[in-house]
């Protein structure tokens, strides 16, 4: 009864699909283009926004270690992505890989999970964009009322609170603009992306270079702030079993080494986008060689930049004050008049960079919807393209509407956690998929081979799952609810209309 849940697309079928894509897409991306594409997707809200949030709420200055932990998990997953992309040069990324290795039901889980990643990712970046725009306009004497530029809700370790605001209008505005551009048919060329990356990286290097002289080393002490709920700090004279249990469970992700791990899971969002390199395999000049290089080189560059920024940021301003939507702008303001000239440059760079990330994430979200609908797993209307603009306008509008809703109502920390758990789940499944593909297709041609299989995939899955486990329980609950909604859609519609299942019955 459930055997057909795991019907797979064969590599031969995917190769035919790749040949079809090749007829309409030009292979013009070099290894440099692919690397810069990865950097362009990764350098965004993670470095301009979540660095401060993770430091203030979880890890303190040790957020630099959190970035290293997340980068290690990304490297392991990236090696698996590299092998897949060299074998299956078609769109769909992890969704397509899952279809080829573990079957339709698992592919659905990954696809639905990717929707979570891109949907909440675009909303998170939009909130970060709003923070920098609000700060930049304030420098020009234009003040947006707090009620119109903040989330109506606040979510912290004590629970939910009302901020008194009505809506984060700038966040809704940028999502609406990017959605409109995507419907019209905006095309980002590799050259345009290279320029955006140059601007963003230049701004980051300016912050690092000129910020070093303003570091107050005392802000790094203690480097790993004490966890007030650490067992070593417990007053054993007042030991009570039930109280002790509650004590251990409460707030375990705030500071200490548990906080470093929690922050690693939260800032994992900062690396969202490197997997986008794998979706461009069909447009790479030499995908077997260049896509793996693009994935790994972009990860290396971004990790170095993240570590440097987190150290300078927490060195300039004490981590306790960094739980804001524009932490780098706040740090520059606190540095005094000597860095005043850098304020507008940093903010313009952040605004430009975050704008492109919102666009790319919305683009990725709509394409995942479109691919799943083309396979029959979602409604036919989602697979339609605009008669004039030739874009998947329905999926784009639906995506933009929900992203705008989330960006306008919810705080950035909550949104970032949802993106992190969605991405981590996709990486776990991709890592396991490599092991299965080695067994099911041992003789298939591989342009790149993940080293030390099964050790690397198993370790990658374990590291990513460990970071998932470090996320707050509420985040897991929201993931479960999201997946249950997906299961209802799949079993009520997708399973009945699957093209792969219909083809298998012929």
């Amino acid at each position: 009864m459930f055997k057909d849940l795991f019907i797979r697309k064969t590599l031969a079928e995917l190769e035919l699909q790749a040949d079809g894509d090749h007829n309409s897409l030009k292979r013009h991306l070099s290894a440099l283009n692919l690397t810069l594409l990865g950097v362009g997707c990764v350098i965004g809200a993670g470095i301009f926004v979540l660095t401060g949030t993770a430091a203030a709420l979880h890890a303190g200055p040790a957020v630099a270690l959190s970035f290293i932990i997340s980068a290690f998990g990304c490297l392991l997953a990236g090696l698996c992505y590299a092998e897949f992309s060299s074998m299956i040069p078609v769109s769909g990324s992890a969704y397509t890989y899952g279809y080829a290795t573990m079957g339709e039901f698992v592919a659905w889980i990954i696809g639905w999970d990717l929707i979570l990643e891109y949907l909440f990712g675009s909303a998170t970046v939009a909130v970060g964009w709003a923070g920098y725009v609000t700060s930049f306009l304030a420098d020009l004497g234009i003040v947006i009322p707090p009620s119109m530029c903040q989330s109506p809700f606040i979510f912290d370790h004590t629970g939910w609170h009302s901020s008194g605001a009505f809506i984060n209008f700038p966040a809704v505005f940028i999502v609406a603009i990017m959605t409109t551009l995507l419907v019209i048919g905006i095309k980002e060329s590799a050259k345009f992306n290279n320029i955006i990356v140059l601007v963003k990286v230049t701004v980051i290097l300016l912050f690092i270079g000129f910020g070093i002289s303003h570091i107050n080393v005392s802000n790094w002490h203690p480097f790993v702030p004490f966890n007030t709920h650490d067992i070593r700090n417990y007053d054993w004279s007042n030991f009570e079993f039930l109280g002790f249990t509650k004590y251990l469970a409460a707030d375990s992700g705030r500071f200490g080494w548990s906080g470093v791990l929690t922050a690693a899971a939260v800032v994992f969002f900062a690396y969202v986008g490197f997997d986008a390199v794998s979706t461009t395999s069909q447009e790479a000049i030499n995908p077997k060689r260049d896509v793996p290089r693009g994935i790994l080189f972009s990860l290396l560059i971004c990790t170095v930049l993240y570590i440097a920024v987190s150290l300078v940021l927490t060195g300039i301003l004490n981590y306790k004050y960094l739980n804001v939507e524009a932490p780098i702008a706040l740090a520059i303001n606190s540095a005094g008049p000597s860095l005043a000239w850098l304020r507008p440059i940093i903010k313009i760079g952040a605004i430009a960079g975050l704008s492109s990330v919102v666009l790319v994430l919305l683009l990725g979200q709509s394409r995942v919807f479109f691919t799943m609908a083309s396979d029959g797993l979602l409604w036919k209307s989602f697979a339609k393209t605009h008669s004039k603009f030739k874009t998947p306008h329905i999926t784009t509008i639906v995506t933009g509407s929900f992203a705008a809703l989330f960006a306008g109502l919810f705080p950035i920390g909550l949104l970032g956690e949802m993106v992190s758990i969605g991405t981590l789940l996709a990486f776990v499944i991709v890592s396991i998929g490599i092991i299965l593909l080695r067994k099911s297709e041992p003789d298939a041609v591989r342009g790149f081979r993940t080293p030390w299989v099964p050790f690397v995939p198993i370790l990658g899955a374990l590291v990513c799952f460990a970071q998932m486990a470090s996320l707050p329980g509420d985040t897991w609950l929201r993931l479960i609810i999201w997946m249950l909604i997906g299961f209802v859609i799949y079993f009520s519609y997708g399973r009945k209309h699957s093209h792969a299942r219909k083809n298998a019955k012929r």
Side-chain angles (χ1 to χ4, degrees), residues 398-416:
V398 170
T399 295
S401 298
F402 277 100
L405 177 67
F406 293 139
L409 297 181
F410 297 109
I412 192 167
L414 174 65
L415 295 171

Side-chain angles (χ1 to χ4, degrees), residues 94-385:
Y95 164 75
T96 303
Y97 305 156
Y99 227 141
T101 56
M102 287 173 273
E104 182 178 279
F105 184 60
V106 176
W108 168 269
I109 292 175
I110 298 177
W112 191 246
D113 183 65
L114 288 174
I115 292 172
L116 175 73
E117 172 187 335
Y118 286 121
L119 180 62
F120 282 88
S122 56
T124 305
V125 177
V127 175
W129 184 91
Y132 278 94
V133 166
T134 301
S135 177
F136 179 71
L137 292 177
D139 291 343
L140 300 178
I142 303 173
V143 178
I144 300 177
S147 62
M148 296 299 294
C149 63
Q150 294 180 5
S151 163
F153 306 104
I154 298 174
F155 182 76
D156 56 26
H157 64 284
T158 62
W160 288 93
H161 312 281
S162 174
S163 67
F166 175 69
I167 194 171
N168 190 335
F169 176 75
V172 174
F173 174 78
I174 185 61
V175 173
I177 292 297
M178 294 299 106
T179 300
T180 302
L181 290 175
L182 287 172
V183 170
I184 293 175
I186 185 69
K187 296 180 180 180
E188 288 187 300
S189 66
K191 182 177 181 180
F192 174 77
N193 181 73
N194 294 352
I195 294 173
I196 292 295
V197 170
L198 179 62
V199 171
K200 288 195 285 191
V201 172
T202 300
V203 166
I204 291 169
L205 292 177
L206 286 173
F207 173 71
I208 295 171
F210 289 95
I212 289 177
S213 60
H214 293 270
I215 289 177
N216 182 351
V217 180
S218 64
N219 287 329
W220 287 342
H221 182 76
F223 191 73
V224 181
F226 295 110
N227 187 333
T228 55
H229 290 275
D230 194 304
I231 188 173
R232 294 170 297 179
N233 300 326
Y234 184 70
D235 184 0
W236 290 92
S237 63
N238 296 321
F239 174 80
E240 292 180 8
F241 179 75
L242 292 178
F244 181 65
T245 303
K246 291 169 65 177
Y247 167 86
L248 283 179
D251 213 15
S252 60
R254 284 181 59 80
F255 309 117
W257 286 105
S258 63
V260 172
L261 291 176
T262 299
V266 172
V267 302
F268 201 90
F269 169 80
Y271 293 99
V272 171
F274 87 85
D275 55 323
V277 176
S278 67
T279 67
T280 62
S281 294
Q282 64 212 47
E283 297 169 88
I285 297 173
N286 188 343
K288 295 181 179 180
R289 180 195 67 189
D290 293 343
V291 172
R293 290 182 179 182
I295 291 173
L296 300 179
F297 287 165
S298 61
L299 271 176
L300 174 62
I301 293 170
C302 293
T303 299
V304 172
L305 291 176
Y306 280 145
I307 294 171
V309 167
S310 61
L311 289 174
V312 173
L313 181 64
T314 56
I316 294 177
L317 187 62
N318 190 282
Y319 68 89
K320 297 177 182 178
Y321 304 104
L322 293 175
N323 186 23
V324 296
E325 295 172 349
I328 293 181
L330 179 63
I332 291 175
N333 290 340
S334 68
S338 60
L339 283 186
W341 63 273
L342 191 55
R343 295 174 192 169
I345 297 176
I346 290 289
K347 294 173 184 177
I348 290 174
I351 292 168
L354 294 175
S355 298
S356 66
V357 177
V358 172
L359 183 68
V360 172
L361 290 174
L362 289 173
L363 176 65
Q365 160 71 88
S366 62
R367 277 14 178 217
V368 170
F369 260 143
F370 180 78
T371 303
M372 295 177 71
S374 298
D375 289 335
L377 301 185
L378 287 174
W379 299 276
K380 292 181 179 179
S381 58
F382 285 173
K384 292 182 179 179
T385 57

Side-chain angles (χ1 to χ4, degrees), residues 50-51 53-60 62-67 69-70 253-270 420 467 470-472:
L50 287 184
T51 304
T53 302
L57 297 181
H58 301 294
V63 70
L65 301 179
S66 300
F67 276 114
I69 294 172
S70 283
R254 284 181 59 80
F255 309 117
W257 286 105
S258 63
V260 172
L261 291 176
T262 299
V266 172
V267 302
F268 201 90
F269 169 80
S420 293
Q467 291 185 75
S470 298
L471 285 167

